[in-house]
Amino acid sequence: MNPRIDKAIPAASTLGLGVNSPLRPFLAFLRQRMSLLLVWPAIALVVIAVLWSYVLRGLGHEERERGAELEQQAGAYAQSLVIRTRRSIDETDRLLLLLRHSWASSGNRGDLAGTLEAGIFSQQYMSAVAFIDRNGIAVTSTHPAAVGRYFGNRPYFVAQQHAVEDRLYLSGPLDAQLTGQEVVAFSRPLLTPDGRFDGIVLINVLPAFFTQHYAEPILGKYGFAAVARTDGALLATRTGDTVHSYRKPFLREPMPGRDPQGVALLGGRRWFADGRLRVVGWQPFPDLGLVGIVGIDEYSAMAAFWAHREARLAAAWWNSAWIMLAGLLATGVFVHARWRQHQMDALRAAYRLATEDAGDGFFINRPLRDRHGVIRDFSVVDCNQHGAAMFGRQAEELIGHRLSEFYRGELFERACERLCQALETGFYDRELPVEPAPDQPLRARWIRYKAVRANGDLAVTIRDISESKAHLTELERRSNSDELTGLPNRYWIQQFLPRAIARARAGGHGLAVLFIDLDGFKAVNDVLGHAAGDELLRTVGKRLKLAVRPRDHVVRLGGDEFVVLLEQVGSREDVEHVAGRVLAAFHDGFHVQHATHVLGASIGIGLYPEHGEDAETLLKNADIAMYSVKTEGKGGFCFFQSRFFEAIRARLETEVELRRALDLQQFVVHYQPRVDLATGSAASMEALVRWERPGQGLVGPDRFIPLLEETGLIVRLGEQVIDSVCRQLASWTRHGAALVPVSVNISPRQFSQSDVIAMFRNAVARHGIDPGMLEIEVTESSMMQEGIGESAVFSQLRELGIKLCIDDFGTGYSSLSQLQKLRFDVLKIDRAFVLRIEHPEGDTLIASMIAMAHALGMRVVAEGIESRRQMQLLRTLGCDEGQGFYFSRPVAPEAHRAPLARAWGGGAPLGGLVGACFSGPEACAADP
Ligand code: C2E
Ligand code: MG
Ligand code: MG
């Protein structure tokens, strides 16, 4: 397992992720790259910090500007208050002067009403106007109740009384004696013509007089304006509409600063009754000992700024949020991209590792396009050592380089073409031969080239399949040809014949298939051994090649089956001609192992298109034709005919009937005696099976044994025959007949497909007979073929007490050594030799057989003795027993009820005797 992933397990499992969770590798990846998570948020934070510092600095600057502006305004307003209030004071003073003048000119009476009503002066803020004489008694007053009253102790009077010069006097805030109103008194001295004090002229004004120039629209509800005396007495204070009483002073400290004029930010209850913050400006009234004070309410004045500030801050917050979000998004995108990259790298590494082991060359190629998007080349993004080695280089020499640096000319074009095709379709997988060009960079003869599109790149694997290809070619060559003869084989013809038929169809000419089966090959092979058989087959192959035209094909299908394929066949005669030549090739016999062996061939011919339009049918029909040649006597050729099918069908029907016959036990056993030639008495009998075929009478074994052998039914028949023989022996015993042993023919198939020993043992036990009364006959040829001679079955049979006979001796190619090894009891010379006994040298052959058998300790039986002469000659040659029609035909067991131990005298005319002994129908024709 990847150690990195391993390390990530605890972390992943604490998240409750299963072992297979797809998140696990991702978390492991993140754990190792925490910086990936922090980079973008950190950048976002820095941007946010910059943004905030910019915004806050801007706001601070604006705030300061606004503050300065306010201070300026406060100063300006204070100045304006002073100027305008001064103007009002001067106006009031002028009124005082006017009143004094009228006082003097009217003879110290003072025309108050006249002067005031002249309308020159505003009386809005005037509370009272009066003349007070030198004694302090009010002479004239706008308040009639005041006239005659004493005011000589009032500060405005006292101050003028003691004044050294004629000047305006302004009192502090007073409570008017008559009205109780809060007022400020303006006074000027009345002077005698000689300049002495003569009383005062007095104007009481309401405090609002001093704040009448309150700039309402600018100062608003919370601004303030005040006029104070430099000695600390506050003459009037106004905020908004309200003019405050001196008894409840609004401004707690009348002089805002030590300087005669200035600006300051004041706030809290220390300064104002309402505790608000204000920018305060103050200015002195020249000569009057007064100060004008104006306060701008900071909050109201800055309201717009605060709103603006609020908006800017809100915007800053939003922007921060967006930047943070962008940071997070960027983190997501960044992490995703890096994760993909990581996965790709891991994949590449894993693939490289895997292919490194698998021996594949692995490349990642990236298309290089021109301005128009057309692919011009490919670059090698990655490759493993195996891949590089295929180009005879190191991986570093390939990575980062272009395809055109390795391939040139046509090779480059073809390589590009492959990659473009893979890019287009997403996949390319071919086995390609590597062109042996001088500038070919690839060092293989065959490659498997696989390309898969991945993220616009191509993952290419190249496998060197040169060896497996070579192996395959060799295999193909081998699978197409027969190893023994070097001829094309069955596989080859299966591929070739359909193409040949297609050519014949296209060209409108004929085609012939000659199916050849060797006659008698099996015997040679079995007797002389496989090496000799192989040599024979090789020779046959060569002769067949010589027998046909060079352009014809000779094929070995297997075993001793060959096919000659003739293309562009003109007429039947041509084919017959070739078939004749093939047969002639066998005329000479084959020299194998210092002896000449005669071998034949059966040839079946199938013609295209008459006998089949496809390969399978044509071959099958040629085979059928060959089979028909075989069954009709071998050693020839014939063309396929549809009636051959009939033969096959008949065979099938027979098979069905044979099965039924076995079920219904339609087989009967006849017995033919073997006569001791010396004594003339029956030495034993041979059991020969017959089929009582319904409607056809008795059918001989030659007509059904081969088919039973082919189908394996021979095993069942054998069992029935053994049982029948044993039952018959038991029956004869019961009837008190003088018994002789009975020999039973055993087919080689019975040895290989059934337990013959058990069969005999059971039958003997079942019928209670002596196994010594049984012999078995095995033909020489079959025994050699099936290799039964090698098996232990014969010794086991002998142990049971059963004797062994070699049947049909002389036809089976057995050798002396084999006979020695097998230790048989009886040797039966085949009828063919007995037939030739009267021919010159015929007897020599038999004599040597008899001598050999005797030397091996065997009794000799001559089969097929049909004449007295044959019998005599054989007796002369020392043959022990004879069997044949001369003595008796095989007859039904009922015929043997008469005593069997009858003598066939040497010179006696046996005919009559036989006739007397065997009363069955076959026995009648005993003596020819
Ligand atoms: P075989 O074992 O060589 O039997 C001898 C054959 O020669 C018998 O033919 C017999 O009728 C025939 N024969 C005897 N004397 C003469 C004669 O003087 N002249 C002529 N021309 N023929 C003679 P059959 O009965 O037709 O049997 C043919 C073959 O069938 C037998 O040859 C044997 O190989 C086989 N066969 C017969 N019965 C059985 C059986 O129960 N089981 C097996 N497996 N094969 C059997
Ligand atoms: Mg026999
Ligand atoms: Mg025989």
Side-chain angles (χ1 to χ4, degrees):
M1 189 196 263
N2 186 343
R4 285 192 191 173
I5 294 173
D6 209 12
K7 259 199 274 171
I9 287 175
S13 50
T14 52
L15 285 173
L17 299 171
V19 177
N20 293 326
S21 166
L23 264 182
R24 285 171 50 88
F26 180 64
L27 291 178
F29 165 79
L30 280 188
R31 266 162 60 86
Q32 275 149 12
R33 293 170 188 76
M34 287 313 274
S35 57
L36 288 186
L37 285 180
L38 300 178
V39 169
W40 285 102
I43 292 175
L45 283 177
V46 168
V47 172
I48 288 171
V50 169
L51 170 83
W52 276 97
S53 86
Y54 171 76
V55 168
L56 291 178
R57 272 181 55 172
L59 284 174
H61 181 69
E62 276 179 46
E63 191 177 353
R64 278 192 301 281
E65 264 189 2
R66 184 86 191 101
E69 211 173 280
L70 277 183
E71 283 177 4
Q72 245 178 4
Q73 275 177 350
Y77 291 157
Q79 198 169 17
S80 158
L81 179 77
V82 167
I83 290 168
R84 295 174 75 180
T85 309
R86 173 74 195 236
R87 210 173 284 148
S88 300
I89 291 172
D90 285 350
E91 217 163 84
T92 310
D93 191 30
R94 263 200 307 282
L95 179 59
L96 282 176
L97 291 175
L98 193 66
L99 286 170
R100 188 167 74 173
H101 176 71
S102 77
W103 165 274
S105 56
S106 64
N108 294 352
R109 277 194 333 266
D111 180 11
L112 258 183
T115 312
L116 289 175
E117 280 157 23
I120 304 164
F121 300 102
S122 162
Q123 294 176 37
Q124 190 184 354
Y125 300 103
M126 281 184 200
S127 167
V129 179
F131 288 101
I132 299 169
D133 65 16
R134 74 173 77 89
N135 303 312
I137 305 295
V139 183
T140 315
S141 173
T142 45
H143 286 284
V147 175
R149 290 185 70 162
Y150 177 72
F151 294 96
N153 55 351
R154 304 298 278 179
Y156 44 81
F157 187 85
V158 175
Q160 291 294 1
Q161 203 174 15
H162 296 102
V164 287
E165 54 182 341
D166 175 12
R167 65 175 192 91
L168 174 69
Y169 173 79
L170 276 172
S171 76
L174 302 167
D175 293 323
Q177 275 185 345
L178 288 178
T179 59
Q181 267 184 321
E182 189 178 322
V183 293
V184 172
F186 281 68
S187 65
R188 276 266 175 187
L190 296 172
L191 298 171
T192 58
D194 55 356
R196 283 183 288 118
F197 177 73
D198 199 21
I200 61 166
V201 54
L202 171 80
I203 297 174
N204 279 346
V205 297
L206 298 170
F209 171 85
F210 293 98
T211 58
Q212 63 181 302
H213 301 296
Y214 184 87
E216 173 95 49
I218 296 161
L219 295 177
K221 208 171 152 194
Y222 298 107
F224 96 96
V227 174
R229 281 206 322 215
T230 46
D231 62 3
L234 197 59
L235 300 186
T237 316
R238 174 176 165 181
T239 55
D241 292 336
T242 314
V243 178
H244 299 277
S245 157
Y246 77 93
R247 281 182 227 101
K248 277 194 199 164
F250 180 80
L251 185 66
R252 300 277 166 86
E253 291 194 30
M255 204 40 215
R258 288 172 189 272
D259 295 336
Q261 71 175 63
V263 181
L265 181 68
L266 307 176
R269 302 229 172 247
R270 182 191 155 201
W271 288 100
F272 301 107
D274 61 5
R276 290 174 80 99
L277 189 64
R278 291 182 174 89
V279 180
V280 177
W282 66 95
Q283 285 276 332
F285 285 75
D287 313 329
L288 286 177
L290 294 177
V291 177
I293 309 166
V294 171
I296 301 169
D297 181 49
E298 210 252 1
Y299 185 79
S300 311
M302 296 290 273
F305 169 75
W306 291 130
H308 162 73
R309 184 176 187 271
E310 204 94 310
R312 292 259 344 235
L313 290 180
W317 278 118
W318 275 114
N319 288 338
S320 306
W322 287 124
I323 290 167
M324 208 58 220
L325 193 72
L328 291 177
L329 275 177
T331 304
V333 171
F334 186 57
V335 167
H336 182 254
R338 292 296 293 269
W339 170 237
R340 286 292 303 272
Q341 183 64 38
H342 169 77
Q343 277 182 317
M344 278 297 289
D345 289 349
L347 209 74
R348 240 181 250 166
Y351 195 88
R352 200 189 301 155
L353 211 70
T355 52
E356 210 73 85
D357 275 353
D360 285 355
F362 171 62
F363 303 82
I364 291 202
N365 290 346
R366 183 163 296 163
L368 302 172
R369 298 169 195 269
D370 63 12
R371 278 187 299 132
H372 310 290
V374 180
I375 297 173
R376 294 290 179 206
D377 202 345
F378 286 83
S379 74
V380 180
V381 178
D382 195 6
C383 99
N384 65 359
Q385 286 303 349
H386 268 298
M390 283 179 160
F391 286 82
R393 297 176 191 236
Q394 294 291 315
E396 303 74 51
E397 294 176 71
L398 292 186
I399 296 171
H401 291 264
R402 290 158 172 250
L403 213 64
S404 50
E405 293 173 46
F406 314 114
Y407 288 108
R408 311 224 178 281
E410 260 189 55
L411 292 177
F412 172 68
E413 273 167 34
R414 231 159 290 152
C416 270
E417 213 173 270
R418 283 197 292 267
L419 290 167
C420 286
Q421 200 178 326
L423 262 185
E424 217 165 275
T425 57
F427 190 70
Y428 184 97
D429 187 0
R430 301 259 170 88
E431 288 186 354
L432 304 168
V434 177
E435 291 164 61
D439 50 357
Q440 173 64 259
L442 262 173
R443 308 191 156 180
R445 276 164 290 131
W446 270 90
I447 52 165
R448 175 155 189 190
Y449 191 93
K450 217 174 182 183
V452 182
R453 187 178 55 206
N455 293 336
D457 290 346
L458 285 166
V460 178
T461 47
I462 302 182
R463 178 177 296 175
D464 184 346
I465 53 165
S466 312
E467 260 183 46
S468 62
K469 259 291 181 212
H471 185 64
L472 233 115
T473 317
E474 176 60 18
L475 267 185
E476 203 166 312
R477 191 190 66 73
R478 283 199 202 172
S479 71
N480 272 324
S481 72
D482 171 51
E483 273 202 53
L484 180 67
T485 57
L487 295 173
N489 63 6
R490 182 186 294 275
Y491 178 76
W492 179 86
I493 199 166
Q494 278 168 356
Q495 316 296 312
F496 184 81
L497 192 52
R499 294 203 292 269
I501 289 175
R503 277 196 296 276
R505 184 178 296 130
H509 36 70
L511 182 147
V513 172
L514 278 66
F515 202 108
I516 304 165
D517 189 281
L518 306 188
D519 301 329
F521 169 75
K522 214 164 167 38
V524 176
N525 193 42
D526 291 336
V527 174
L528 301 181
H530 290 294
D534 289 351
E535 196 187 329
L536 195 72
L537 287 171
R538 271 194 290 271
T539 315
V540 169
K542 281 181 202 149
R543 289 210 192 157
L544 287 175
K545 279 298 273 184
L546 287 173
V548 300
R549 299 164 300 181
R551 66 160 187 263
D552 299 328
H553 303 276
V554 178
V555 179
R556 180 176 170 227
L557 289 189
D560 59 351
E561 290 178 343
F562 293 82
V563 161
V564 168
L565 180 64
L566 309 176
E567 287 192 88
Q568 301 187 7
V569 165
S571 65
R572 250 170 189 262
E573 287 72 42
D574 293 347
V575 180
E576 278 172 6
H577 182 65
V578 175
R581 283 223 310 270
V582 168
L583 286 178
F586 288 81
H587 281 170
D588 288 347
F590 295 84
H591 194 77
V592 180
Q593 288 190 356
H594 317 297
T596 302
H597 300 267
V598 178
L599 226 63
S602 301
I603 306 172
I605 304 170
L607 295 174
Y608 169 85
E610 297 98 299
H611 304 146
E613 297 199 6
D614 61 273
E616 205 185 332
T617 317
L618 209 53
L619 269 172
K620 190 185 73 193
N621 289 346
D623 189 7
I624 288 170
M626 185 279 292
Y627 184 77
S628 117
V629 174
K630 276 255 187 238
T631 51
E632 280 168 25
K634 307 181 177 176
F637 66 84
C638 91
F639 288 88
F640 172 77
Q641 293 169 37
S642 53
R643 72 175 171 86
F644 295 160
F645 276 125
E646 286 302 309
I648 289 169
R649 213 186 56 224
R651 189 173 162 272
L652 279 173
E653 276 172 10
T654 312
E655 190 185 326
V656 172
E657 277 189 65
L658 281 172
R659 284 178 194 279
R660 197 181 311 132
L662 281 166
D663 292 341
L664 301 176
Q665 306 212 326
Q666 292 176 346
F667 294 96
V668 293
V669 179
H670 284 196
Y671 296 85
Q672 187 180 33
R674 241 164 60 193
V675 177
D676 186 321
L677 293 183
T679 63
S681 59
S684 71
M685 286 192 290
E686 181 173 8
L688 294 160
V689 73
R690 272 97 184 87
W691 177 16
E692 282 185 328
R693 195 173 182 180
Q696 293 193 25
L698 274 188
V699 176
D702 287 336
R703 285 180 50 199
F704 58 85
I705 294 274
L707 193 53
L708 285 175
E709 284 189 325
E710 258 178 59
T711 53
L713 291 170
I714 191 72
V715 175
R716 285 183 65 194
L717 177 78
E719 202 167 0
Q720 289 188 8
V721 169
I722 293 167
D723 188 70
S724 168
V725 167
C726 291
R727 190 189 308 113
Q728 190 58 57
L729 275 168
S731 156
W732 279 327
T733 312
R734 276 197 304 279
H735 289 97
L739 283 182
V740 289
V742 175
S743 62
V744 181
N745 291 285
I746 302 292
S747 174
R749 280 276 180 127
Q750 284 173 261
F751 288 109
S752 56
Q753 294 184 359
S754 66
D755 188 350
V756 179
I757 313 281
M759 251 181 222
F760 274 103
R761 204 180 270 138
N762 293 341
V764 163
R766 191 160 50 241
H767 298 290
I769 58 150
D770 174 12
M773 296 307 286
L774 290 169
E775 293 180 3
I776 63 159
E777 292 188 17
V778 185
T779 60
E780 185 198 14
S781 55
S782 72
M783 190 178 64
M784 301 302 167
Q785 278 172 35
E786 307 285 328
I788 313 159
E790 314 293 321
S791 80
V793 71
F794 294 118
S795 50
Q796 289 176 327
L797 283 168
R798 193 177 291 112
E799 277 165 27
L800 268 180
I802 297 171
K803 286 207 179 80
L804 308 173
C805 312
I806 296 185
D807 203 356
D808 302 346
F809 186 80
T811 57
Y813 302 97
S814 60
S815 64
L816 189 64
S817 61
Q818 276 171 313
L819 287 174
Q820 270 176 319
K821 207 164 62 190
L822 289 170
R823 294 182 49 222
F824 274 70
D825 301 289
V826 180
L827 184 144
K828 296 179 82 173
I829 296 174
D830 192 73
R831 191 175 138 249
F833 297 95
V834 176
L835 269 176
R836 283 170 23 201
I837 196 166
E838 288 165 88
H839 296 189
E841 289 177 24
D843 57 340
T844 332
L845 202 58
I846 292 187
S848 60
M849 280 182 188
I850 292 169
M852 181 200 73
H854 283 165
L856 290 171
M858 288 188 267
R859 284 179 70 76
V860 181
V861 180
E863 293 187 298
I865 301 177
E866 293 183 350
S867 69
R868 184 194 171 107
R869 171 124 183 89
Q870 285 171 340
M871 186 270 286
Q872 283 172 334
L873 279 172
L874 283 160
R875 195 167 53 188
T876 318
L877 288 173
C879 183
D880 303 299
E881 297 174 26
Q883 181 184 349
F885 294 169
Y886 172 71
F887 304 108
S888 166
R889 286 181 177 254
V891 291
E894 298 77 42
H896 297 288
R897 251 178 246 133
L900 275 163
R902 163 88 60 180
W904 279 276
L910 289 170
L913 188 67
V914 170
C917 292
F918 301 102
S919 56
E922 289 173 284
C924 299
D927 200 355

